[in-house]
Amino acid sequence: MVEYGVVRLLSLALRLCALITCFFSSSVSEDLGCRRGEFSRKHYGSVELLISSDADGAIQRAGRFRVENGISDENTDYTPGTWHRTDVHLENPECHTRWYFKYFLGKVHQNYIGTDAEKNPFFLSVVLSDQNNQRVPQYRSILWRKTGTQKICLPYCPTKTLSVKSILSAMSLDKFEKSPREILDPEIQKVRDDIFLVLGSVNFKFGVLYAKDGQLTDDEMFSNETGSESFQRFLGLMGDKITLKGWTGYRGGLDTKNDTTGSFSIYTVYQGHEIMFHVSTMLPYSRENKQQVERKRHIGNDIVTIVFQEGEESSPAFKPSMIRSHFTHIFALVRYNKQNDSYRLKIFSEESVPLFGPPLPSPPVFTNHREFRDFVLVKLINAEKATLETPTFAQKRQRTLDMLIRSLYQDLMPDLHKNMLNRRSFSDVLPESPKSTRKKEEARQAEFVRLGQALKLKTTVKGDAPTNLTTTSLCKKEPWEAQSFCNNFPHEVVCADSWGQSLLVSTDAGILLVDDDQPLVQVFDKTLQIKQMHVLEALNLLIARTDKGKDSRLLVFRLSAIQKDIETKQMIRSKYDCRENKLERTKGCHLYAINTHHGSGLRIVVAIRNKLLLVTKKYSLCNSLTSSSQLSSSDSPVDEFQYIREICLSDPPVVMTLIDGPTGDSDNMICVAYRHQFDLINESTGESCRLHHVEASKVNFVAAIDVYEDGEAGLLLCYNYVCQYRKVYPLNGGSPLIQQSASDFHFSWNQVPYAVVCAFPYILAFTIDSIEIRLVVNGNLVHTAVVPELQLVSSRSDIYFKATTAVSGSSSSSSREMSSRSSPQTPITYEMSECPLSSLEGEVPCKNLYKIPLSNLVGRSIERPLKSPLVPKVVTTPICSGIASVPVTHSLSLSRMEIKEIASRTRKELLGKLPSSFSVHVYYQLGYF
């Protein structure tokens, strides 16, 4: 008996070891999918009280600054979002923020004026355009108010009339003191673009302060006449040395006529932004004035200052409190190490400055000087943009903007009563005008366009325009670049989920298994209509919601059984072969949700009208072993689930999300969205509380995404144009605590999304014709990709989407050129087979499936838990300094030859050697139109 017990115990131990090994080797992909919703503000530093003292130890000044030094907690085994070069982005790029210059100025558009319910004047500009010449017509609208500007995109429908009030309603402006009226004066364009200059310049001036080893006061640092050899090399890396006298470019406040601010300076252009550096050793020096007032006058009035400090790491370090300036909010401390020819970077941000990227690597040491230059310039540009959002600058900007808008309103209102054309509706203007006023209207529009184009050219020549010209990283691959997965996919997609390296897709022709290099495989016939599905590889389960209305059910399948049918090529299953897979009590369900983390057990919430059914998976060691080893079982998977409780709601939910509590005992929660609100429900007690109420006449709920900031639960609530982050504080055994937190924030999309995907550090919004990519921590925009007829297919692991091939029919405009127009510095790399568009030619468009690897977005490589169900594959985890080595299809980015050709032809056109018609082509290439 003892020997039998020992053998049995040993057998169980071996099986347990196999389970653990299988679990850890197979949960990497699922774990990555879970952790893509984890983020941390620790990457952006922590706030510290910094005190500076003189040589005698007396305290001089103190201040609270957020310190970024790239050092993470060494005790943690996981750092959310391994940062690498693809994370370096300009946030809120000017080509996206200065909409009026890019999309309105010099084109026929409409302008309206009115006052809101609080008698504050507002202006509205609307233009009908296409998305970067991709043949995707849409309305772009800008609302100008004293609090700032709001920009949205609205889809164009030739059969649906769009009114001014419907546009304003989409911007949450429903009540007016005076209804909006149209402004026909072409001079309005000049005022509109001037208002954008108030919101921020496209060019920047940064201070550069040289500090010798041991210098602890600003008087000592500003008194350095010359810099060291390493400092000169650093300046040469940042930009070019220019002669100020006669300089015609951006001067950053320096004298370019009489050399009163020095004879030379450092200047560069980065991604269309002109940058002038105020270098302390190049500004005038006075032996009599120990405080060097002339130098402090320039550097002390710069928002961002670089401090280049000599000396070893053990030497006394620079502190922002050493500098007497109420204007400088950002200090970038740079040290050079001669031994390994590297630069170390440290960032100090005044406490009120919002978070901005890119976060520093750990350690913040750069051996590649070109990467260091790119990182510093992007960091400093983003820093100044973030500083302009602090109360100090925001209040000044708001006062100036309010004054400009009120002055413009007073000037225009008398003219509106004289002109009867302002009474026409919005929909009467964009189509052809009535015959009685056609000639007059055409003359007005011609003058409108002529004046706008003249203003645009003047602004460009003056250097105040976002040019989108790139001086570095022109062909850099971006993490959101997609790979072609399946060309010419012939079916309509209902839903899908990834399975290994394949995709299980529910279509109008049944359930298909799709692989990028294999023919389509039929898994279920078209009698089974799956509306929602989850492939849980670690649990060997497929969960699916089928049919609709009263006939809808939740079905559960074993993946191993499905895979066996595929391998043996048995008869394709139909709806009638799935009777034993129906989950009890789920008849009539219209929605379900599962928890993200399955380590604490699988939980399913099923919505049946206004009732929620909570179902969990029974835990069994034997079942876990067989599931993990992926063995087929005669037992029905339905038997593994148990009904827990039923929760009643006041209305049927539209969106549901499960939130894991910190203990998993009685603090798990469910977020539901219905009517005009988001509610949180305690799974154990069924108690609910209001999380957020939506103040809008119409609500389009998109998603409630569970994210975890440093292990604490939070929610990204997405509805209409809004995405709002709320922290959740669960109480054990009771209702969750809902209160405002300093970390809560919100931002607005440019276009209403129908789906939102979080993959830290990014959050992606999918619209009918674009993917809008922003950062999770601050909501700042980094890129907008134009994708005609876009449909998100699956996003639980890798992101799959379906889209029409965006290829121009003309021979002079290739798909490569069209992608470059969207964003020259970060071209879209959707490799699409050439197929004519159907919108103009009446043909059926080619629709392909594309994949954005999750490992590219979150910066981690994955080893798939299951090989492809279609064919055995060997997938290894690459080992290369923490950066995923993922195969990527050939991109459509501009080659060096194409860049040289554009530059050469542009130069010839400017010299008059090419016809002026070519200028339009160049402007498209550079992203002006």
Side-chain angles (χ1 to χ4, degrees):
M1 287 295 293
V2 175
E3 292 181 358
Y4 175 76
V6 172
V7 171
R8 182 172 177 80
L9 184 61
L10 182 60
S11 175
L12 286 173
L14 290 173
R15 294 175 68 184
L16 183 60
C17 290
L19 168 64
I20 295 173
T21 304
C22 182
F23 173 78
F24 281 105
S25 63
S26 66
S27 62
V28 179
S29 176
E30 181 183 340
D31 189 48
L32 178 66
C34 297
R35 284 177 170 170
R36 70 177 181 181
E38 294 189 10
F39 70 98
S40 174
R41 288 180 171 84
K42 293 179 181 178
H43 287 292
Y44 298 85
S46 57
V47 176
E48 301 178 13
L49 176 63
L50 302 179
I51 303 173
S52 63
S53 57
D54 57 18
D56 299 329
I59 296 177
Q60 291 183 321
R61 284 171 299 278
R64 292 180 63 82
F65 285 81
R66 188 173 64 251
V67 183
E68 291 184 66
N69 54 15
I71 299 176
S72 59
D73 187 2
E74 297 180 355
N75 296 324
T76 58
D77 59 348
Y78 170 70
T79 304
T82 302
W83 307 107
H84 50 86
R85 283 289 299 130
T86 55
D87 297 310
V88 181
H89 311 293
L90 285 180
E91 299 176 13
N92 293 327
E94 298 301 332
C95 60
H96 293 289
T97 55
R98 292 195 68 182
W99 267 26
Y100 193 79
F101 180 88
K102 183 176 176 65
Y103 299 110
F104 293 74
L105 192 59
K107 299 178 183 178
V108 177
H109 63 277
Q110 292 175 262
N111 299 283
Y112 293 86
I113 187 172
T115 54
D116 59 21
E118 298 177 354
K119 298 185 179 181
N120 294 314
F122 65 85
F123 292 90
L124 177 71
S125 295
V126 185
V127 66
L128 177 62
S129 64
D130 60 6
Q131 285 219 27
N132 302 316
N133 200 39
Q134 297 268 1
R135 297 187 185 179
V136 181
Q138 62 175 190
Y139 295 107
R140 294 181 187 269
S141 305
I142 305 177
L143 180 63
W144 318 67
R145 308 176 76 174
K146 69 176 185 179
T147 53
T149 62
Q150 185 178 351
K151 303 177 290 292
I152 65 170
C153 292
L154 294 167
Y156 169 73
C157 180
T159 60
K160 185 179 180 180
T161 302
L162 187 66
S163 66
V164 178
K165 290 187 177 181
S166 64
I167 296 176
L168 292 173
S169 178
M171 296 176 164
S172 300
L173 183 59
D174 298 304
K175 298 179 180 179
F176 315 101
E177 196 265 337
K178 286 187 179 180
S179 298
R181 309 182 76 178
E182 187 183 1
I183 307 169
L184 300 175
D185 188 356
E187 292 290 336
I188 188 66
Q189 298 176 93
K190 184 180 185 304
V191 182
R192 292 295 173 89
D193 203 45
D194 288 344
I195 294 177
F196 256 128
L197 293 178
V198 175
L199 300 176
S201 173
V202 298
N203 300 322
F204 300 88
K205 53 187 181 72
F206 300 138
V208 182
L209 181 60
Y210 175 69
K212 293 181 180 179
D213 188 12
Q215 291 183 337
L216 300 177
T217 65
D218 55 355
D219 289 345
E220 293 175 330
M221 299 175 194
F222 279 103
S223 297
N224 294 320
E225 294 188 55
T226 59
S228 63
E229 181 182 350
S230 58
F231 179 62
Q232 298 301 327
R233 282 200 301 269
F234 169 74
L235 293 179
L237 178 63
M238 289 294 104
D240 301 318
K241 187 177 181 180
I242 62 163
T243 302
L244 286 176
K245 196 168 188 178
W247 177 253
T248 58
Y250 174 68
R251 60 189 185 90
L254 299 179
D255 181 16
T256 58
K257 294 181 179 179
N258 303 313
D259 286 345
T260 60
T261 57
S263 301
F264 305 97
S265 189
I266 302 297
Y267 167 89
T268 190
V269 178
Y270 187 82
Q271 296 198 12
H273 301 280
E274 293 184 79
I275 302 173
M276 182 66 76
F277 294 92
H278 294 162
V279 184
S280 62
T281 57
M282 292 183 174
L283 292 170
Y285 171 76
S286 174
R287 294 184 181 275
E288 291 77 21
N289 188 347
K290 293 184 179 180
Q291 292 188 354
Q292 304 300 327
V293 176
E294 185 63 23
R295 291 181 170 182
K296 290 182 180 179
R297 182 170 69 88
H298 290 282
I299 298 179
N301 285 311
D302 290 331
I303 294 176
V304 179
T305 295
I306 302 173
V307 179
F308 187 92
Q309 188 171 38
E310 300 281 7
E312 302 295 333
E313 289 294 324
S314 57
S315 303
F318 166 84
K319 295 179 181 179
S321 50
M322 296 177 180
I323 306 298
R324 288 171 288 188
S325 173
H326 296 289
F327 197 82
T328 306
H329 283 59
I330 308 292
F331 293 92
L333 178 61
V334 177
R335 286 181 179 268
Y336 176 70
N337 190 329
K338 295 182 180 179
Q339 296 180 352
N340 57 8
D341 190 26
S342 65
Y343 290 96
R344 176 178 284 269
L345 183 63
K346 191 175 185 178
I347 303 294
F348 299 91
S349 306
E350 200 274 332
E351 184 181 17
S352 62
V353 178
L355 297 180
F356 59 92
L360 269 64
S362 181
V365 176
F366 298 82
T367 56
N368 186 315
H369 293 185
R370 179 58 59 182
E371 288 190 1
F372 173 67
R373 177 184 185 272
D374 288 357
F375 190 96
V376 169
L377 293 179
V378 171
K379 186 72 173 176
L380 299 189
I381 292 174
N382 291 341
E384 181 158 325
K385 290 181 180 180
T387 304
L388 294 176
E389 300 302 320
T390 59
T392 302
F393 291 94
Q395 291 170 5
K396 293 179 181 178
R397 184 175 64 251
Q398 182 172 329
R399 287 196 298 266
T400 305
L401 195 59
D402 186 26
M403 181 184 64
L404 283 174
I405 292 177
R406 289 186 181 276
S407 175
L408 179 60
Y409 179 80
Q410 292 172 1
D411 293 341
L412 292 173
M413 279 307 295
D415 295 333
L416 292 179
H417 296 290
K418 300 176 184 178
N419 199 329
M420 297 300 295
L421 282 176
N422 59 64
R423 294 192 176 184
R424 60 187 176 179
S425 66
F426 172 75
S427 58
D428 293 333
V429 183
L430 294 179
E432 194 172 328
S433 303
K435 292 182 180 180
S436 59
T437 59
R438 184 176 303 171
K439 289 185 178 181
K440 186 176 180 179
E441 177 64 16
E442 288 177 353
R444 186 194 71 83
Q445 290 184 1
E447 175 63 16
F448 195 93
V449 172
R450 185 200 64 78
L451 180 61
Q453 290 180 346
L455 289 171
K456 196 167 195 176
L457 181 60
K458 181 180 178 180
T459 307
T460 303
V461 172
K462 199 168 69 172
D464 291 332
T467 60
N468 272 356
L469 290 173
T470 309
T471 56
T472 59
S473 304
L474 189 64
C475 299
K476 182 182 74 172
K477 290 186 179 298
E478 298 291 2
W480 49 77
E481 292 184 359
Q483 305 172 6
S484 179
F485 183 72
C486 179
N487 290 328
N488 300 325
F489 190 74
H491 306 290
E492 292 296 325
V493 177
V494 180
C495 63
D497 200 2
S498 54
W499 182 3
Q501 296 199 46
S502 301
L503 189 67
L504 192 62
V505 187
S506 174
T507 71
D508 54 347
I511 316 303
L512 307 176
L513 194 61
V514 185
D515 198 287
D516 55 358
D517 57 357
Q518 297 291 324
L520 303 180
V521 174
Q522 187 96 25
V523 180
F524 296 94
D525 65 17
K526 62 181 181 181
T527 60
L528 186 66
Q529 301 177 6
I530 292 182
K531 307 298 183 181
Q532 191 181 355
M533 72 166 71
H534 284 83
V535 176
L536 307 179
E537 301 173 71
L539 300 178
N540 190 26
L541 293 174
L542 166 64
I543 301 174
R545 178 172 61 85
T546 63
D547 296 327
K548 60 182 179 179
K550 296 181 179 180
D551 296 328
S552 59
R553 292 270 194 172
L554 215 61
L555 304 183
V556 183
F557 303 90
R558 292 199 190 279
L559 289 176
S560 54
I562 298 174
Q563 185 171 355
K564 183 178 179 181
D565 291 344
I566 296 173
E567 292 173 351
T568 57
K569 297 182 179 180
Q570 293 183 0
M571 183 178 63
I572 299 173
R573 297 191 187 190
S574 68
K575 172 183 178 179
Y576 308 102
D577 299 320
C578 306
R579 293 188 179 94
E580 296 182 358
N581 300 93
K582 294 179 181 179
L583 208 58
E584 294 182 0
R585 296 176 178 243
T586 62
K587 185 177 180 180
C589 62
H590 68 274
L591 185 68
Y592 81 91
I594 67 172
N595 57 323
T596 307
H597 300 268
H598 304 147
S600 58
L602 175 64
R603 309 194 317 277
I604 306 175
V605 170
V606 185
I608 307 173
R609 293 182 295 279
N610 62 336
K611 293 189 299 183
L612 300 184
L613 194 71
L614 181 60
V615 179
T616 63
K617 186 177 183 297
K618 301 175 184 176
Y619 178 76
S620 170
L621 178 61
C622 181
N623 288 343
S624 300
L625 289 170
T626 55
S627 297
S628 302
S629 58
Q630 300 168 15
L631 298 175
S632 61
S633 173
S634 58
D635 297 334
S636 172
V638 174
D639 298 334
E640 298 180 8
F641 291 86
Q642 57 185 351
Y643 163 78
I644 302 299
R645 67 178 52 86
E646 187 178 280
I647 300 173
C648 291
L649 305 176
S650 58
D651 289 273
V654 180
V655 170
M656 291 195 308
T657 299
L658 275 68
I659 307 167
D660 293 326
T663 66
D665 183 13
S666 58
D667 51 6
N668 294 325
M669 292 170 288
I670 309 169
C671 177
V672 295
Y674 47 74
R675 289 186 299 185
H676 285 68
Q677 65 198 53
F678 289 90
D679 285 355
L680 273 180
I681 301 172
N682 187 295
E683 284 187 12
S684 300
T685 63
E687 296 181 12
S688 65
C689 62
R690 181 74 53 82
L691 176 63
H692 180 69
H693 181 77
V694 180
E695 299 290 345
S697 56
K698 294 182 180 180
V699 184
N700 175 37
F701 290 111
V702 180
I705 304 173
D706 58 321
V707 292
Y708 298 86
E709 181 184 354
D710 298 323
E712 295 183 357
L715 282 167
L716 285 171
L717 308 178
C718 305
Y719 57 93
N720 296 356
Y721 288 90
V722 181
C723 184
Q724 182 162 7
Y725 173 73
R726 295 292 302 272
K727 217 163 194 177
V728 180
Y729 304 89
L731 294 179
N732 196 355
S735 300
L737 178 63
I738 306 300
Q739 62 183 26
Q740 292 290 336
S741 169
S743 60
D744 292 352
F745 62 89
H746 74 277
F747 59 87
S748 297
W749 305 103
N750 290 332
Q751 193 169 348
V752 176
Y754 63 80
V756 174
V757 178
C758 180
F760 184 77
Y762 308 104
I763 180 169
L764 295 80
F766 289 79
T767 73
I768 59 174
D769 49 32
S770 67
I771 304 175
E772 194 172 323
I773 304 163
R774 295 177 178 266
L775 298 178
V776 175
V777 293
N778 54 21
N780 286 346
L781 178 71
V782 294
H783 187 71
T784 300
V786 180
V787 189
E789 298 188 48
L790 171 66
Q791 180 189 1
L792 178 64
V793 173
S794 174
S795 62
R796 221 167 51 84
S797 182
D798 293 334
I799 297 174
Y800 296 85
F801 62 89
K802 185 181 178 184
T804 304
T805 33
V807 180
S808 174
S810 61
S811 59
S812 62
S813 180
S814 64
S815 60
R816 181 189 298 264
E817 292 172 336
M818 293 180 71
S819 65
S820 66
R821 293 169 191 160
S822 174
S823 178
Q825 69 268 26
T826 53
I828 306 172
T829 60
Y830 304 141
E831 184 176 320
M832 301 179 179
S833 58
E834 297 198 6
C835 175
L837 289 174
S838 63
S839 57
L840 297 179
E841 302 175 8
E843 297 180 6
V844 177
C846 297
K847 290 194 176 182
N848 303 333
L849 293 177
Y850 301 95
K851 178 176 80 170
I852 303 177
L854 181 60
S855 58
N856 289 0
L857 290 170
V858 302
R860 277 177 164 257
S861 58
I862 344 176
E863 181 176 356
R864 292 290 181 186
L866 281 180
K867 298 176 182 178
S868 170
L870 297 178
V871 62
K873 291 184 179 180
V874 178
V875 182
T876 59
T877 304
I879 303 175
C880 54
S881 66
I883 299 177
S885 176
V886 179
V888 180
T889 58
H890 297 289
S891 69
L892 300 181
S893 54
L894 293 173
S895 65
R896 294 182 181 272
M897 292 299 295
E898 289 173 320
I899 297 167
K900 290 181 179 179
E901 180 185 358
I902 293 173
S904 175
R905 297 178 71 181
T906 306
R907 186 163 49 252
K908 290 179 181 179
E909 194 274 334
L910 293 174
L911 295 175
K913 297 180 180 181
L914 284 179
S916 59
S917 61
F918 173 71
S919 62
V920 177
H921 175 71
V922 173
Y923 273 80
Y924 272 118
Q925 288 286 349
L926 299 182
Y928 286 143
F929 303 120

